[in-house]
Amino acid sequence: MDKGRAVVGVSVIGALVLAAGLVVETVPTQGLTTSTTGGGVCGTYPEGSAVAAAWFMTDLQNETDHDVRVRTVRIATIEGVRLEHLALAPHPRTSSPGVIITEDPDQPAEYGRTVPVGSGVVVRPHSDLNVSGRIVLDPDRTAGFVRGVVVTTQDGLGRLHTVTEPIAFGTGIGTGHDASEIGCHGA
């Protein structure tokens, strides 16, 4: 009789553990989010310039109550430019003067707080991740752009989540570029 109760007890405990596991597994989790719905940031250099280059930066938020590990970061579309630099700036502080990319050793420590994309950055709950990069216009083009910063993250259960920041960043030489050439309107 005690064996029977033990078997029933173990079965009940096993069922409760399985049910708890299913509840945890079905609770929706997400990775990073973005508040941008599109648009672009573009600028041009005067006619006759030899080279056009620009830095860009975009911000993604971890609005969850858990850590989010960054697995990959890539640019969805690269048109007429080459991507010379892509880096992450985890946990930017609002009290700092901003995340500014520099290789100048004379700059203050809060400048250039970036890490390589493949460094396994963890974005803490309710904090931000900045993705920054540098584009240089191809020699045979008068305008070009990058569009769509695609970030894939992994949650605590090992599930992958992908978010795309749809904003475009463009650069060019001269004026009167079509929006499709430079990635956004008004440049």
Side-chain angles (χ1 to χ4, degrees):
M1 186 125 124
D2 287 334
K3 277 187 177 181
R5 279 191 258 184
V7 168
V8 169
V10 168
S11 297
V12 168
I13 291 172
L16 290 174
V17 168
L18 180 61
L22 288 174
V23 168
V24 168
E25 183 62 28
T26 58
V27 170
T29 60
Q30 61 185 23
L32 301 175
T33 59
T34 177
S35 58
T36 304
T37 57
V41 178
C42 299
T44 58
Y45 288 81
E47 195 70 49
S49 297
V51 176
W55 284 100
F56 66 87
M57 184 175 68
T58 188
D59 181 63
L60 296 106
Q61 300 83 35
N62 178 4
E63 296 174 348
T64 70
D65 293 327
H66 57 83
D67 289 348
V68 173
R69 179 172 299 279
V70 176
R71 295 285 303 265
T72 61
V73 179
R74 65 181 177 81
I75 303 298
T77 303
I78 301 175
E79 184 69 39
V81 294
R82 70 181 179 277
L83 183 64
E84 279 198 343
H85 180 84
L86 189 64
L88 303 177
H91 320 299
R93 295 186 313 268
T94 56
S95 62
S96 69
V99 180
I100 297 173
I101 308 304
T102 182
E103 295 174 2
D104 184 351
D106 296 328
Q107 290 290 346
E110 63 267 12
Y111 285 75
R113 294 187 324 261
T114 61
V115 296
V117 168
S119 62
V121 165
V122 173
V123 184
R124 301 287 174 221
H126 307 287
S127 65
D128 294 338
L129 173 76
N130 290 119
V131 178
S132 62
R134 184 173 191 265
I135 56 175
V136 178
L137 189 63
D138 287 340
D140 59 338
R141 300 289 298 263
T142 58
F145 64 93
V146 295
R147 180 187 310 281
V149 177
V150 182
V151 180
T152 300
T153 59
Q154 183 175 11
D155 65 19
L157 297 173
R159 293 179 291 198
L160 299 179
H161 304 274
T162 300
V163 63
T164 301
E165 169 69 84
I167 197 168
F169 301 96
T171 189
I173 295 176
T175 58
H177 296 288
D178 185 75
S180 63
E181 291 178 304
I182 201 160
C184 58
H185 300 281

